[in-house]
Amino acid sequence: DAKTTQPTSMDCAEGRAANLPCNHSTISGNEYVYWYRQIHSQGPQYIIHGLKNNETNEMASLIITEDRKSSTLILPHATLRDTAVYYCIVRVSLDSGYALNFGKGTSLLVTP
Amino acid sequence: NAGVTQTPKFRVLKTGQSMTLLCAQDMNHEYMYWYRQDPGMGLRLIHYSVGEGTTAKGEVPDGYNVSRLKKQNFLLGLESAAPSQTSVYFCASSYDPLGGAFFGQGTRLTVV
């Protein structure tokens, strides 16, 4: 199963774009990349996921490199409420299904 | 639409006591999961279910049992609580293994 590598922490000024990188160099061809965030010990919140193409929704954009070995989550206009731990996840295969393998994530601090 | 609801939100147990955590979802999801999160760490999968009447072990299943008698409910049991089980427990559900998962708000359990 593919593992992901993220920076431990990042800062971003309010109103600017937050670009959160993730390396997943061992990802296989049919594995999706998922992004979740966790705000101050609340339950994790799903943000976005993708396979090959770039994806965009109301929360964020996901840019996946052509070789699929890395991706970037973009929050276009970060707000103070975006301060959270962001998890980049590749789905883990289990005996009879799949689950999300959460690492330690990136702690994003959005500053005024 | 409540989403994923966990009961209780807080609990203090004495070593050796038993308890059951309840997770209920109203989205008709097939997949349900129990995770635990310890300070400074990501979430670790305890048990999961791919449908009513099915359960399977995750990454850290020892000391826990689960049941999925009804599609909407996923129960996590601690038969003889230990201080090492002090943690925050999160339940999640998803429609299929490829889609985003929805998480509950967590149960904060302290075993003394």
Side-chain angles (χ1 to χ4, degrees):
Chain A
D1 297 313
K3 296 188 184 299
T4 62
T5 304
Q6 300 177 253
T8 302
S9 62
M10 294 182 63
D11 292 345
C12 178
E14 188 178 20
R16 307 298 284 272
N19 297 283
L20 290 87
C22 179
N23 287 322
H24 32 78
S25 58
T26 60
I27 195 171
S28 63
N30 61 350
E31 288 182 316
Y32 284 76
V33 178
Y34 297 80
W35 282 85
Y36 285 75
R37 72 180 183 183
Q38 188 173 25
I39 298 173
H40 190 54
S41 300
Q42 296 179 15
Q45 178 187 23
Y46 165 78
I47 301 174
I48 199 167
H49 74 284
L51 181 63
K52 294 181 181 179
N53 300 320
N54 298 337
E55 302 287 345
T56 296
N57 62 22
E58 65 278 4
M59 290 183 67
S61 295
L62 174 60
I63 308 298
I64 302 174
T65 58
E66 192 169 344
D67 63 8
R68 302 210 330 118
K69 293 184 176 182
S70 65
S71 61
T72 300
L73 179 75
I74 300 173
L75 308 178
H77 305 286
T79 70
L80 298 180
R81 289 177 296 178
D82 292 322
T83 292
V85 177
Y86 287 77
Y87 297 98
C88 170
I89 300 164
V90 176
R91 193 185 58 188
V92 175
S93 298
L94 302 172
D95 288 343
S96 55
Y98 300 92
L100 303 169
N101 187 14
F102 286 80
K104 295 187 177 181
T106 296
S107 179
L108 175 68
L109 176 63
V110 180
T111 56
Chain B
N1 223 1
V4 179
T5 303
Q6 293 184 229
T7 309
K9 290 183 172 51
F10 302 92
R11 186 71 185 268
V12 177
L13 282 182
K14 292 183 179 179
T15 299
Q17 286 185 320
S18 64
M19 78 164 294
T20 300
L21 282 66
L22 170 64
C23 177
Q25 52 95 3
D26 61 1
M27 296 172 283
N28 202 34
H29 285 170
E30 291 290 340
Y31 291 75
M32 296 188 75
Y33 312 86
W34 275 108
Y35 289 87
R36 63 176 287 173
Q37 185 173 34
D38 300 308
M41 298 184 67
L43 281 74
R44 293 183 292 170
L45 182 66
I46 305 172
H47 286 280
Y48 65 101
S49 169
V50 301
E52 181 179 318
T54 75
T55 63
K57 295 179 180 180
E59 180 185 0
V60 288
D62 293 342
Y64 305 95
N65 56 74
V66 288
S67 64
R68 183 102 181 267
L69 298 180
K70 294 183 178 181
K71 186 177 184 179
Q72 64 267 33
N73 295 335
F74 194 28
L75 305 178
L76 178 70
L78 287 72
E79 291 185 345
S80 179
S84 61
Q85 293 178 304
T86 293
S87 189
V88 181
Y89 293 85
F90 290 101
C91 176
S93 72
S94 64
Y95 180 72
D96 61 42
L98 295 180
F102 293 83
F103 281 79
Q105 288 305 299
T107 295
R108 283 156 180 77
L109 175 66
T110 301
V111 182
V112 298

